Amino acid sequence: MRPRPALSLLLLACALFAAPAARAAEPVAEAAPEITIVVVDSLQGNSSELNNFDRIARVFTEVLRDRKWPYTIKAEQFAANSRPHAIELRIFFQGMREETAGDMTFRAWMVLYDHGTEHDFGVIRFRYDTRPMEQTSDRLDRSVRGAARIAASKMEGVLFPKEERRRP
């Protein structure tokens, strides 16, 4: 006895349409929320091997990842008409300079936007006293890292209020 072609096609169609429905019923793991670091920097060039955005993005990302928060970290330069981010640390970079001989000072105004709520951290200034014969790149990194740690501590108070930080 030969199977009827129409019945075979119907069974094949049912099998094809049932497979995606079965996959859709599986629970999907939610992606970790994201913290976006937005750096607002001047467009002037500089002579270091890394520009200011690259250095700030790299160091701030390292510091925030070291905190082991349940967030993914992303960095971007400020651009007009960018979409708002749920959690965004906006850094208005004001420069790094030697205020006195042998130090490196990082200055930036920082604002945390947490789901539409603005938390103004003001100007964060970190002064790093350099060591003799220290590489310029290391001096700049350590200066940015100090400011990133200050900002991370302030962010922690907003993102993880004291009630949530207590462990049973």
Side-chain angles (χ1 to χ4, degrees):
M1 208 173 184
R2 288 178 37 184
R4 295 186 176 151
L7 182 59
S8 299
L9 286 174
L10 181 63
L11 290 174
L12 180 65
C14 288
L16 289 175
F17 287 112
R23 276 188 234 127
E26 295 174 8
V28 177
E30 283 189 33
E34 185 174 79
I35 296 175
T36 304
I37 301 167
V38 178
V39 180
V40 182
D41 191 8
S42 78
L43 297 176
Q44 298 175 2
N46 62 4
S47 61
S48 67
E49 69 274 0
L50 278 176
N51 67 24
N52 293 325
F53 167 74
D54 291 335
R55 184 179 311 281
I56 291 169
R58 179 179 49 79
V59 173
F60 269 76
T61 300
E62 288 172 3
V63 167
L64 294 181
R65 281 190 181 139
D66 287 347
R67 297 277 175 136
K68 300 204 185 317
W69 292 343
Y71 293 98
T72 57
I73 311 298
K74 182 178 95 172
E76 62 184 44
Q77 271 183 305
F78 178 75
N81 299 327
S82 63
R83 66 176 177 80
H85 303 285
I87 301 173
E88 176 180 310
L89 176 64
R90 187 157 295 180
I91 301 171
F92 297 91
F93 180 63
Q94 296 178 345
M96 280 188 280
R97 32 182 99 67
E98 288 187 65
E99 292 182 348
T100 59
D103 75 355
M104 181 61 62
T105 303
F106 174 93
R107 297 175 70 93
W109 174 37
M110 296 186 201
V111 180
L112 177 68
Y113 295 95
D114 181 15
H115 297 90
T117 305
E118 180 179 322
H119 302 275
D120 189 350
F121 296 154
V123 175
I124 292 181
R125 178 181 170 269
F126 182 79
R127 183 177 146 213
Y128 173 69
D129 292 321
T130 61
R131 295 181 294 224
M133 305 300 289
E134 188 172 14
Q135 296 289 325
T136 302
S137 176
D138 292 340
R139 294 171 46 196
L140 296 171
D141 279 2
R142 288 188 176 108
S143 180
V144 174
R145 188 171 310 282
R149 287 182 179 142
I150 293 169
S153 294
K154 291 181 180 226
M155 290 173 65
E156 196 167 43
V158 172
L159 298 175
F160 306 103
K162 290 188 182 209
E163 306 84 57
E164 293 180 16
R165 281 190 259 166
R166 291 188 194 147
R167 295 185 183 171

